[in-house]
Amino acid sequence: MTEQLTADDWIKEGLKALAKNGFTALKADPLAKAMGVSRGSFYWHFADLGAFHAAILKRWRDIAAEQIIADVEATSDEPLKALLRRSFGARLDLERAVRNWAAFDAAAQGAVRAIDRRRIDYIETLLATRGLAPATAQARAQVLYWTFLGFALSGAPVPAARLQGLLDEILTMVSA
């Protein structure tokens, strides 16, 4: 590698390793080897492995919630429908990897709890905007989120035509 690496380069490589090989891959030596550099570059950007893990979790929160919300809000006049298509149509390897990590690590568990809350709050807001009473919007947001988690954690691929039919049915159920 001829260019000097940035912290962002390390975070991107870490996210790829996490999605592909799980949280045990988030170590300086194997990442440095994969990037063709010495691990000194890692420690130039991160004080220790804990700081790197914190940066990975922060980036995941940005990718898995804030970027999606911003994109949905900017590109759709039907944000709930767009959110469903985006969430259920995405590759969810990273989602599964972070949730697995959370079973073993308190910081990852905190990140998962924070993102769950952020996502549920956003869904609740979308449902309230569609005219549902606050208590109903809250309950349906939770059920919809549990549906997403079940889908995400199953890892089972669904053909596009079938997925669209399921998403239409989910939208009908939460909007009724």
Side-chain angles (χ1 to χ4, degrees):
M1 187 155 233
T2 57
E3 298 175 21
Q4 188 169 17
L5 294 176
T6 65
D8 191 57
D9 293 324
W10 283 97
I11 292 168
K12 286 177 183 174
E13 188 68 26
L15 288 170
K16 284 193 281 187
L18 175 60
K20 184 177 180 184
N21 301 313
F23 69 94
T24 59
L26 296 179
K27 297 177 183 165
D29 285 334
L31 290 172
K33 184 178 266 189
M35 297 170 76
V37 298
S38 74
R39 69 183 187 147
S41 172
F42 176 90
Y43 290 106
W44 176 260
H45 297 291
F46 304 98
D48 56 25
L49 207 51
F52 177 63
H53 288 176
I56 290 285
L57 290 169
K58 181 182 183 315
R59 179 66 56 85
W60 173 68
R61 288 192 313 266
D62 290 342
I63 292 168
E66 301 313 318
Q67 285 180 10
I68 291 172
I69 291 169
D71 289 350
V72 163
E73 292 291 322
T75 61
S76 179
D77 57 345
E78 289 191 63
L80 182 60
K81 198 177 223 180
L83 179 64
L84 288 173
R85 275 194 311 271
R86 173 103 184 237
S87 299
F88 285 83
R91 288 192 48 127
L92 297 167
D93 299 335
L94 186 58
E95 181 80 24
R96 286 188 295 275
V98 172
R99 289 182 178 282
N100 184 48
W101 185 12
F104 300 93
D105 181 87
Q109 188 177 68
V112 166
R113 274 197 304 268
I115 204 163
D116 287 348
R117 182 77 264 145
R118 174 69 172 116
R119 288 169 169 174
I120 291 168
D121 289 347
Y122 181 63
I123 296 166
E124 187 177 332
T125 299
L126 293 179
L127 291 171
T129 301
R130 294 173 79 92
L132 295 176
T136 303
Q138 183 179 35
R140 290 184 187 179
Q142 184 68 63
V143 170
L144 180 55
Y145 193 63
W146 286 337
T147 302
F148 166 73
L149 288 178
F151 175 79
L153 296 176
S154 74
V158 177
R162 182 158 187 261
L163 180 59
Q164 186 55 54
L166 293 170
L167 294 179
D168 291 344
E169 190 62 34
I170 289 168
L171 188 60
T172 300
M173 288 184 335
V174 298
S175 297

